[in-house]
Amino acid sequence: MRKTAIVTTIITLLGGVVASHGAEVLMTIDTPTNNVSNNARFRVDQLGKGWYKDSTSLWGITDNVLSNPGTTPGIPAEGPVGQSVSTASLTPGLDQIKVSFDYSVGAGSTLYFHLVGLTTNGAPSSNEILANCQPQNGSTQNQSETDFGDLNILNGGDPNGGTGGAVSFAATSGTYSATFNVTNYAWSADESPGLTGNIADVKDFEIILAMFASNVTTNDGSGAISISNLSIVADSDNTSLTVTPEELSMILLEGETAVTGSVDVAYVAPTNVDIAVSISDESHPGSFSLLSATPQTLTGPTTLEFEYDNTVSNLTGTVATGLVTIAWNAVGSTTTNEVVIPISTVVGFAPNANNTFTKTLGTWGDPDNWLLDRVPGSLGADRAIIQQAGRVCNVETNFTGLFPFRAWIRTSSGTPSVLNINADLKGMADISVGQATSQYGILNHTAGAVEAASIIVAHSAGTAPSNSVYTQTGGSAEANSLTVNPTGELNMDGGTMTVETGITIKSNGVVNVDGGELELPGTPDVSGDGIVKLQSGSFSAGNNSSGGATFKGHIEISGGTFSWLNQVLCSAGSSITVNGDAASITMRHIQTTDAYGSFDLTLNYNLNETGVSTINMTSWMMLQKTKINVDGSAYTGGPQTILLIDGGSLDGAAASSNITVTGFAEGYNAAVTQDGVGNGDVILTITVGGPEIGMDMASGGPVMISWPAEYGSAYNVMTNSDLVNGSWGDADWTPFLDGDFYKATNSIGSEPQLFYRLEAE
C-alpha cells in the first residue's frame, strides 16, 4: 500500500503559464484589418486598446501589416501611429525589452521608431495626454511631463519627441532587432523627488508607448512605408531554477510500506534546461529513490516524484533523511549549477500507544512532559492521556500532529484533569473530555484552532460523579462529529465551532451557546434527547435546501440568532422552546406529518413581560402533529398581537386540540389562531378585560367615575354626548387614588347628557 503526499506550486505569467525563455509579450501588430482608432492625442485611457492615430493620418493596417501609402507629405498625413500598454500584469524580474520588426521604406521617405517608458509622477487624470498624434517629419511631441516620469527606452535619455531620439530607416528595407537592458538606465534629475535612482525592472515603467512616425517627401506613392512581424516583449537574461518546496518531507502511516512525494521545478532561462537528479547522504541507504526520469531536458515546469520504501530498512518510530541534488544548465551552456534540498520520511510507531502526561503542570509541546518522551502525534498515533487529579496541560504553541493522535482528559476522583488550549492543536482523531466510565475532565479553549475528527464530552455510561465540561471562549474548532453524553456539558461562550455531520446530545447532556457560534453546515442531524440552550451568539445549521435533517432532542432559545435551513424532520418527543422576545429565529421547513414518517414536535412559547420571539419560516411547513403551548405567566405587556410563526407556506395546520394557552394574569385574554388558507401564520392575540366602572353624581354635579385600584391608573377617561352621531374624546380630568379605588371627577357643564368610558393608554 502506498500513500502519496504532493506539494505543488503554480507559477503564472502574463497571458498564461511559464514559457521556457521567460519572455512576455507587450505588443504586436496582430489586429483585424483597418483596426486603427482615431484620436488627436495618445492618452492614458487607450492602454491595451490597440493602435491610434490622428483622423487624417494615412496610417492603416491590412493583413497584420502597418503601412503608410506615402502619397501626402506634411501635417497630419504623416503624423505618428502608436500603441500603449500597461506593465501591471508582467512578472517581476524582467529587465530587458526586446524589439524586432520587418520594414520597407520607399524612395524619398524616412521611417522613425520611438519607444517611451512612463511612470506616474503626479496626479494624472483618467484620460491624461501622453503625446501628440499630429506632428510631421518623424516627430512625436511628448506631452506627458506634468504628471509622468518619462524615459526614452532606445537611449536612456529624455524623450523630447524629436527625431534625434528615434531609430530611423531611410529608403531601405530589412529587419530591425534590438535588446534594451533597462538596468542600464536611471531617472533623470528633473523627475526628482518623485522618481529617483536606477531602473531595475521593466515594471518600473507603468506604461510602454511605441510610435512609428514618417517623413514623406513625394506624393506619387513611391515613398510608401510598411511594417510587419512586430514583436515587443519583456524578457530577462537571468537564468535561474527554483524547486518547491525547499524541503521534501513525507510521512509513512501505519500499515503502509512506501510513501511518495514530489517537488515542482520551474526555471527562467533563454533556452530549455537540462537537469540530472541524484540522491545522497542517506541515513538509511537505498530507502529513497527517484521515480521520474533523469537526466531530462525541460521545456517548461515539471514535477519530480520520489519514493521512500520502508522494506529496505524496516524502520519504526524514527526519521529517514537524505539530500536531493538537481544539477542543471541552460541548453548549450557549459556552466552547471546545483540546487540541493533535504528529503525525509517520518516513520511512525505503532498506533494507540498510551502516552501519559507526567507533570502536574506543564506544556503540551515539551517531549519531556510525556511518558514516551515524544509529543503525541509527532512520531505515532498515540493516545495523549491527561489523567490523575489536578493535572494541568497547557497548549501554548501551535502543534499539528503528523499522525492522527487521540487526546483524553479524565479523572476518577478529586480535582479534575484540565487541558487548556491557547494555540493551535490539530491533527487529532478524537478529543475526549471524561473519556472513561465514571471519569470526568475539563477542557478550556481560549485561542487557536482545534481540529479533530470527533469531539466527545463525557462517557456514554453517564456514571461520572461530576460533569465533564468543554468550554470555548475564543479561537475556532472543527470536527466531523460532536457527541455530548450524559453528565457532559459543552459551553460555547466565544469563538466558532463547526461540526460537519451533526451533533448527538444524549439525555442529561447539554450544549450551552452564550456568545459563541455553533455551525452545522450541510444537512446536519441533531439527535440524542439532550438539550441545546441558546442564550446569545448563534446556532446555525443547514445549507438552505429541503434536504432532510433529523431532529431528536430539545432546543431552548432565549436570545441570540437561531437558524436551521433544512427540512427539519422532528422525531417523537422533540421540542423547541422559545423564552422571551430577545432572539432572532429562522427556519426553512418544519416537518411533523405522518405522510412521510412518524414525526411530532412540541413548540413551547414562554412569554416574558413584553412578549415572545417569532419563528420566521422561509418555506413550507407541515404542522399536523405539532403541539403549541403558550405560557403567559410573566406577561404584563397589555393587549397586542404576536406572530408565533411567520409562515412561508402551509402544507398542514396544527390541530386546535394541540394548542394550549395558560398562565395569563386575571384580566388578560389570549388565544392562538392559524392562517389555514394563506401562508400559515400562527398568531397569538392578547386582549385585556376592562375594570367595572362606578359612577356617582351629586345634585348639580360634578360627575365622579371610579374603578378598582388593582387595575392601575393607566386609563384615559373618555366622554361622548351622542352615541349615534358623536365621537369620543378625552375628558379633562386626572385620576387619583382613594382607598381601594381610583377616582376622577368632571363637571358636565351645559351638556344635556354625557356618556363615559375608560380606555387603556
Side-chain angles (χ1 to χ4, degrees):
M1 300 174 64
R2 301 181 185 274
K3 181 175 180 62
T4 301
I6 299 177
V7 179
T8 60
T9 298
I10 299 174
I11 302 177
T12 58
L13 296 179
L14 178 69
V17 297
V18 172
S20 61
H21 51 76
E24 301 179 28
V25 175
L26 291 169
M27 67 181 74
T28 66
I29 306 179
D30 297 337
T31 55
T33 300
N34 297 323
N35 187 16
V36 179
S37 302
N38 295 323
N39 197 301
R41 300 290 186 270
F42 298 116
R43 299 176 181 271
V44 171
D45 58 2
Q46 299 167 4
L47 290 179
K49 297 180 180 179
W51 296 90
Y52 280 82
K53 66 178 180 62
D54 185 77
S55 60
T56 57
S57 172
L58 299 183
W59 285 101
I61 295 176
T62 302
D63 296 330
N64 297 328
V65 176
L66 185 64
S67 62
N68 187 316
T71 57
T72 308
I75 297 175
E78 61 183 20
V81 61
Q83 181 179 169
S84 59
V85 294
S86 169
T87 65
S89 59
L90 290 179
T91 299
L94 302 177
D95 57 8
Q96 296 178 342
I97 294 178
K98 296 181 177 180
V99 181
S100 65
F101 55 85
D102 297 332
Y103 59 89
S104 176
V105 183
S109 294
T110 304
L111 171 67
Y112 295 88
F113 174 61
H114 303 259
L115 188 62
V116 179
L118 303 113
T119 295
T120 302
N121 194 18
S125 65
S126 60
N127 66 340
E128 190 78 16
I129 296 173
L130 302 178
N132 194 341
C133 296
Q134 296 179 331
Q136 64 177 336
N137 299 331
S139 298
T140 60
Q141 191 181 1
N142 177 28
Q143 295 182 324
S144 64
E145 290 284 356
T146 302
D147 291 302
F148 285 93
D150 51 4
L151 186 143
N152 186 340
I153 295 173
L154 301 177
N155 61 16
D158 187 43
N160 56 24
T163 58
V167 178
S168 61
F169 312 90
T172 185
S173 61
T175 297
Y176 173 75
S177 179
T179 297
F180 304 95
N181 192 321
V182 298
T183 62
N184 296 326
Y185 300 150
W187 293 111
S188 61
D190 64 352
E191 306 296 353
S192 178
L195 298 171
T196 59
N198 293 331
I199 309 297
D201 193 303
V202 175
K203 285 176 71 69
D204 286 353
F205 303 116
E206 297 173 356
I207 299 170
I208 304 296
L209 173 62
M211 296 167 285
F212 290 98
S214 60
N215 183 5
V216 178
T217 61
T218 66
N219 57 14
D220 59 2
S222 61
I225 300 172
S226 65
I227 302 154
S228 60
N229 299 319
L230 172 68
S231 172
I232 303 179
V233 301
D235 205 346
S236 176
D237 267 347
N238 293 332
T239 302
S240 62
L241 183 140
T242 58
V243 180
T244 307
E246 296 179 352
E247 178 177 353
L248 178 57
S249 299
M250 298 176 284
I251 302 171
L252 183 67
L253 298 180
E254 175 66 20
E256 306 285 344
T257 59
V259 60
T260 61
S262 63
V263 297
D264 289 336
V265 179
Y267 64 91
V268 175
T271 65
N272 297 329
V273 167
D274 290 330
I275 66 169
V277 184
S278 60
I279 299 172
S280 62
D281 297 309
E282 290 184 84
S283 60
H284 301 82
S287 297
F288 292 102
S289 61
L290 173 68
L291 300 181
S292 304
T294 185
Q296 59 174 297
T297 298
L298 304 185
T299 59
T302 192
T303 298
L304 299 178
E305 188 171 13
F306 297 85
E307 180 181 66
Y308 170 79
D309 185 353
N310 199 42
T311 62
V312 175
S313 302
N314 295 312
L315 302 181
T316 300
T318 190
V319 180
T321 61
L323 295 176
V324 172
T325 300
I326 303 175
W328 65 277
N329 61 275
V331 172
S333 171
T334 58
T335 300
T336 299
N337 307 279
E338 290 186 349
V339 174
V340 180
I341 65 168
I343 187 171
S344 63
T345 298
V346 179
V347 183
F349 288 98
N352 295 318
N354 291 334
N355 197 355
T356 304
F357 189 74
T358 59
K359 298 295 190 287
T360 301
L361 174 65
T363 58
W364 175 282
D366 186 348
D368 291 339
N369 293 339
W370 297 94
L371 178 66
L372 301 180
D373 294 323
R374 62 177 186 259
V375 178
S378 62
L379 284 173
D382 299 338
R383 298 167 175 162
I385 302 175
I386 305 168
Q387 63 183 4
Q388 297 185 7
R391 293 257 168 112
V392 178
C393 176
N394 296 318
V395 180
E396 300 291 351
T397 57
N398 294 341
F399 177 80
T400 300
L402 298 179
F403 298 86
F405 64 99
R406 313 177 76 178
W408 295 352
I409 306 99
R410 64 191 193 187
T411 306
S412 59
S413 62
T415 304
S417 299
V418 178
L419 175 63
N420 294 316
I421 302 176
N422 306 304
D424 291 355
L425 186 60
K426 301 179 179 180
M428 289 178 283
D430 65 76
I431 185 166
S432 183
V433 185
Q435 177 267 334
T437 303
S438 301
Q439 297 193 351
Y440 51 94
I442 301 292
L443 186 150
N444 299 311
H445 179 189
T446 58
V450 170
E451 294 180 4
S454 60
I455 296 175
I456 305 165
V457 185
H459 189 268
S460 59
T463 57
S466 298
N467 281 359
S468 291
V469 182
Y470 185 128
T471 299
Q472 183 174 347
T473 57
S476 64
E478 296 183 8
N480 292 330
S481 65
L482 167 66
T483 301
V484 181
N485 285 311
T487 72
E489 182 179 333
L490 172 68
N491 297 317
M492 286 296 303
D493 297 336
T496 302
M497 178 177 288
T498 303
V499 184
E500 295 293 336
T501 60
I503 59 178
T504 299
I505 311 169
K506 299 293 183 64
S507 179
N508 296 321
V510 60
V511 172
N512 294 307
V513 182
D514 192 6
E517 300 177 11
L518 181 58
E519 300 176 349
L520 285 68
T523 54
D525 294 335
V526 177
S527 59
D529 291 323
I531 188 168
V532 175
K533 295 182 177 181
L534 174 63
Q535 301 170 67
S536 65
S538 67
F539 174 101
S540 61
N543 56 4
N544 202 25
S545 74
S546 296
T550 299
F551 172 42
K552 180 71 167 69
H554 307 281
I555 295 173
E556 183 178 302
I557 306 168
S558 303
T561 301
F562 179 90
S563 173
W564 197 345
L565 300 181
N566 288 120
Q567 180 183 174
V568 182
L569 308 175
C570 303
S571 300
S574 299
S575 68
I576 297 176
T577 299
V578 183
N579 295 323
D581 57 1
S584 172
I585 306 171
T586 305
M587 299 182 70
R588 181 179 172 94
H589 303 293
I590 293 177
Q591 166 65 277
T592 63
T593 173
D594 285 340
Y596 303 101
S598 180
F599 305 121
D600 71 52
L601 173 69
T602 298
L603 291 177
N604 298 310
Y605 290 90
N606 297 325
L607 280 67
N608 61 10
E609 294 86 348
T610 54
V612 72
S613 298
T614 301
I615 297 178
N616 298 285
M617 303 298 301
T618 66
S619 189
W620 56 260
M621 55 186 178
M622 296 182 177
L623 304 181
Q624 290 93 325
K625 295 189 68 178
T626 299
K627 302 177 182 67
I628 301 175
N629 299 324
V630 178
D631 185 345
S633 300
Y635 184 74
T636 59
Q640 67 168 312
T641 298
I642 299 174
L643 268 177
L644 300 180
I645 299 178
D646 186 356
S649 64
L650 183 66
D651 282 3
S656 58
S657 59
N658 284 336
I659 299 175
T660 303
V661 179
T662 60
F664 285 89
E666 184 177 353
Y668 283 90
N669 298 304
V672 173
T673 58
Q674 300 177 81
D675 180 3
V677 296
N679 58 10
D681 288 351
V682 179
I683 305 164
L684 172 65
T685 302
I686 304 172
T687 58
V688 180
E692 183 178 346
I693 303 173
M695 178 182 290
D696 187 25
M697 183 178 72
S699 178
V703 174
M704 178 176 288
I705 301 294
S706 64
W707 63 92
E710 65 190 72
Y711 287 92
S713 63
Y715 292 95
N716 293 322
V717 181
M718 313 290 290
T719 62
N720 189 351
S721 60
D722 185 345
L723 291 180
V724 177
N725 299 309
S727 60
W728 292 95
D730 289 336
D732 184 18
W733 48 12
T734 302
F736 61 90
L737 184 63
D738 182 10
D740 293 333
F741 291 89
Y742 277 101
K743 296 180 179 180
T745 60
N746 179 252
S747 173
I748 64 173
S750 60
E751 294 291 347
Q753 62 180 8
L754 279 175
F755 301 92
Y756 296 89
R757 77 179 184 190
L758 292 180
E759 183 175 278
E761 291 180 350

